Amino acid sequence: MLLLGCIKEVSDYELAISLPNGLSGFVPVTQISDAYSKLLTKQVAQGELLEEVHSLPDMYSPGTLVRCIVTSTEKRADGRRSVKLSIDPKEVNKGLSSTALAAGMLLSGSVLSVEDHGYLIDIGVTGTHAFLPHKKAKNYIKAVKKGPDLKIGQNLNCLIVEVKNEGRVVCLSIDRSEVAASIATERQNWALSNLLPGLVVKARVQKVSPLGMKLTFLSYFTGIVDFMHMDPEKSMSYSPDQVVKACVLSVHPASRAVRLTLRLPFLHPGGAPRQLPAQRMGAVLEEATVKAFYKQFGAIFELDDGTLAFARLKHLSKTRKSFKPGAFKEGCKHKCRIIDYSLMDEMCVISLKHQIIEAQFLQYQDIHVGDVVQGKVLSLKPIGMQVKVADGIRGLVPSLHLSDVILKQPEKKYNIGDEVKCRVLECNPEGKKLILTLKKSLVQSKLPVLSSYEDAKPGLITHGFVVCAREFGCIVKFYNDVKGLVPKNELGSEPISCPDKVFYEGQVLKVMVLKCEPQQERLLLSFRLSSKPGPEDKWKCTPKEKQEVKYQIGEIVDVKILKKKDNGLEVSILEDEDNVIAWIPTLHLSDFVATSKLLWHCLQEGDVLRRVMYLSDKGEHIILSRKAAVISAVQEGQVVRSFSEIQPGLLLTGYVRNVMPFGVFVEFPFGVTGLAPKVSMSDKFVTDTKDHFVVGQTVIAKVMSTDEEKQRVLLNLKVSECSSGDSAAESFTLLNQYFKELKEIKDLLRREEPSICGLVPGKRVHLVVQDVREDGSALFSGSSVTGLTVTATRYHLGDKNIAPGEKRKALVLHVDALASEVYVSLREELLKQRPKRVSMRS
C-alpha cells in the first residue's frame, strides 16, 4: 500500500512518520535508498566514519511530506500495531516503467551521487537515468537549509521536465515554484498500477454523505474523501458535480481503493501541513464542544481556539460498557486532553478518559531529570530492565541501577508486570531516551538533584554513585551524566590506601562539592562532609596545663569531677600530688551510648568515679575511658600494642571513631585504627551506615587484612564473624554490665529526682487525669510522679472515656530519665497481668 506521510520526528536510526487518519509508522535507516544503504554497509565494514555519510537529522526535517510504501505490520506486546515503511524510490515507484514516464509527472527520487553540473537521482525505474541540474536545485537547497549541497540518500519530490530516448534519460527539477504548480493530467497516462500518493488532481464530486464523499478524477479513477479530510471551511457546501482540487493520500492497488484529501496545505505539492504549537501538546481543556459523532469511529470536537480535534471511540469513555452515545450530541461539552497531533489530518487527537487527563506524564517532554516515577516491568535483559512509565513512554534501568547492590540474578527479585518506583537519571525527549534508577538511596534521597555543572556550587551536599574506584580516588556520577573526582586525600577522615577495596561500582554515597569549572566540565568532590572536630578534639589542655605524663596506657585510676562540659567531664586524678588534669569524653563513660548520656546527666561536680582507665598517652591532652569492655580487654591482654602485632583473624575490642557513608573507622587502645567497609559492617544489608553504628559505640572487630607498607587495617564487624565461640557468655556479661550501670544511674538520680527512681516498667501507679489532647492522648499527675510528664497514648487509654480530674490506675511502660517523661497504659489486659519474677543463676 502506498501512502503520503509527513515526517514527525527524526532520529539517527529512523524517521517517525505521521500517516492519514491518525495512524503512524516508521522508516528504518536501511529503507532510505539503495545508495545510502551501501554507504552505511561500507562504513560498518571499514569501522570508521565516512565523510560522504550524513546522519538522518542532517538530511530530513519534521514537517516534510514523503511518499511511503508499507513493507510490514506487526502486533507489539502492548497490543498496538507497528507499521514499517520504506521511502526507497525502488519500492515506491516500482509500478512505473521507463516507457510510462512523461513530462509533468511528479514522483519521488533520492540523491544517488553528486556530479560537477548537478546530481544523479535514483527514481527507482529500471533502465532510466535521471539527472538534476544545479540550477533546478538551487532554490530548494536554499529553502531547506541543510547545507550547500544535496546529500546522498536525501529524498526529493521531483518533477520530470524532459524525457529523452524513450524514457532512458530524464531531466528533473525540484524548484519549489515549479513543483507547487504541477498537477496530474490525463496526458501523463497514469494508471492504477503506478498512481502515486501526493499527486494533485482536478476531481468531480459524485456523491456526498455524512461520513465523506465520492470523487472521480483523471477520467476513470474513483476515490473517497473521508470526513476528516474535507476542507473544514467548506464541509457543509459540497454538492454533486462540483469540481474540486484534491490530493491523492493513499493507493491500494489490490483493492483498487484510492483515498484523497481536500485540505488546503496538500493541494500544492511540496507544501507542508500546519503544526501544533509545542505548548498545546498535553494541554487539558475544560470544555471541548462536540461537532459531530460517528458511531463507528469517534467524535469531532471544536477546541477553545476554534480548531478541530478528533477522539477515537475508545477514548470517549473508560470502558465500552460505560459509553453513553447520548452524551455526544452536537453542542455537548466535555473535558479533554490533547494527547497527539496528526500532521496528515491537521487535527489534534484528544482523550476524554479520566486517567489520561490526570496522568502525570504523557510524553517524554513531560519528564524531568530527578523526577520520581511509577513504572511497570516489561522485560529483564543483560543490559538492564525495561520499564513502562506511561503509554508510549519506556525507560531503561541499567543493570548497575537495579538495586543498591549489584544483583547477579535480578529475575529473583523482579517479575514481569511488577510495579516499581524509579528516579529519572537522564531524559532525552528528542532521542526518546529515558534512563532510570531503582537504587533506594537515590529514589528516597531528599538532597538536591545535581543535573548540571552550573548547579555544582562549592559546599553543596548531594547523593552520587561510584562508577570507578582506582588508586587515585573515585569517580562519582550524578544526574544527566554529570560526574566528578574525589581525590584520594578526600576519601575519608582517615587515609585510605586502596580505594578499590573500600568502594565498589554503583555504591551510593553523600558527597560535597569542593570546586567546579562548568565550562571545562571539571568537578572536584569530597566524601568528608564536614571538618568538625571529634569529641576528643574539643577539649585540649592549654600550654600551661601540659604536664609530664607518668601513667601507662591501661593503668586504672580513680578521678574526681572538676567540671561538666557539653561533651564530657574535666577530672583530676586522685592520689596524685601534682593534681594531674584529664578528660573523659561523654561517650567514654560507658560501653552503651544511651547510658553514657544518662550518666553525664546524673553526675555532678565533686563526684568520684572509680576504676577509670588511662587511654591516651598524648601529652597535650590526657584521655580517660570508663568503657568496661575496653578496660577488660586491656587487662586480659586482648589488645595489640603496635601494628606489628596485628594478624588477620584477631578479635579486638574497640570503639567507633567515625561513621562515613562508605564504612566505619574503629579505634583500639594504644592508638591503632582500622576501617570496616560498608560490605563488612553487618550481616544485614546496609543502606545507610548511620542506621547501624554511632560514634562512641563499643564494638568487637575481626581483623581481615593489613597493609604493612601503608600501616592500614581492614576490619569486619559482622556479628557472625566476631564471636569468640561462647556467644551466650559474652551476651550475659554485657547484659550484666548494662544492669549494673542502670542501678548506678538510679542511685545517682535519688539525689535530685527521687520520684523517678521508684518508677520501673511494670509498676502500677495511681494517677489523676490532667488533660486530654486533640490526638486522643492524655496527661496525668500524681504524688508518685511529681515533676514528671506522664503520658498515655490514645491506644493505651483502651476503650475508656476519661475526663480531667478523674482518678485512674495505670501501668508504667517506659521511663525516660533524660527527658523526665513517663509513659503509662490504662489497658485492662495489661493491668490484670501479674508481674513475673525472673531469677538468674550463674
Side-chain angles (χ1 to χ4, degrees), residues 93 99 115 157 185 266 286 310 364 386 399 473 511 551 554 569 575 669 677 682 685 702 734 738 777 793 800 815:
N93 298 336
T99 55
E115 307 297 330
N157 200 12
T185 64
F266 299 96
E286 293 299 325
F310 178 67
Y364 285 90
Q386 192 176 34
S399 55
V511 294
Y551 295 96
L569 304 173
E575 299 178 3
S682 173
F685 174 68
K702 184 177 183 179
L734 284 170
Y738 178 71
S777 63
T793 62
K800 296 174 182 169
V815 180

Side-chain angles (χ1 to χ4, degrees), residues 19 111 114 127 158 185 269 328 434 498 513 529 573 709 711 733:
L19 300 174
V111 179
V114 181
C158 304
T185 64
F328 296 95
L434 182 63
C498 300
V513 175
L529 304 185
I573 298 176
E709 184 182 347
Q711 298 278 294
T733 302

Side-chain angles (χ1 to χ4, degrees), residues 282 284 337 353-362 366 390:
V284 176
R337 188 173 190 179
K353 285 187 173 182
H354 176 74
Q355 63 266 39
I356 290 179
I357 292 173
E358 299 298 323
Q360 184 181 4
F361 306 114
L362 197 64
D366 299 333

Side-chain angles (χ1 to χ4, degrees), residues 164-313:
K164 299 178 182 178
N165 299 334
E166 297 179 346
R168 289 193 289 274
V169 178
V170 295
C171 189
L172 306 174
S173 173
I174 58 170
D175 184 274
R176 294 172 74 86
S177 59
E178 291 181 21
V179 170
S182 68
I183 192 164
T185 64
E186 289 84 349
R187 291 182 186 176
Q188 295 163 8
N189 297 319
W190 290 104
L192 191 62
S193 60
N194 61 26
L195 191 66
L196 294 173
L199 295 179
V200 176
V201 297
K202 284 186 178 179
R204 187 179 297 274
V205 178
Q206 194 175 46
K207 184 182 178 181
V208 180
S209 72
L211 293 177
M213 56 188 180
K214 195 174 184 180
L215 304 177
T216 59
F217 62 98
L218 295 178
S219 300
Y220 58 89
F221 288 103
T222 301
I224 299 295
V225 177
D226 64 43
F227 62 91
M228 294 178 74
H229 281 276
M230 293 192 289
D231 188 338
E233 296 180 5
K234 302 176 182 177
S235 58
M236 304 302 293
S237 60
Y238 293 113
S239 59
D241 288 329
Q242 182 180 348
V243 177
V244 293
K245 205 174 180 182
C247 176
V248 178
L249 275 183
S250 65
V251 181
H252 200 302
S255 65
R256 305 178 70 84
V258 179
R259 291 188 174 271
L260 303 100
T261 180
L262 303 182
R263 286 185 168 271
L264 195 60
F266 299 96
L267 302 183
H268 300 282
R274 290 184 289 265
Q275 301 215 26
L276 181 73
Q279 64 271 21
R280 291 284 282 176
M281 183 62 72
V284 176
L285 308 177
E286 293 299 325
E287 288 188 348
T289 308
V290 178
K291 296 294 288 182
F293 173 68
Y294 306 94
K295 63 180 181 180
Q296 292 180 334
F297 305 105
I300 298 287
F301 291 81
E302 184 178 346
L303 305 183
D304 53 5
D305 60 355
T307 59
L308 297 181
F310 178 67
R312 294 185 181 87
L313 208 57

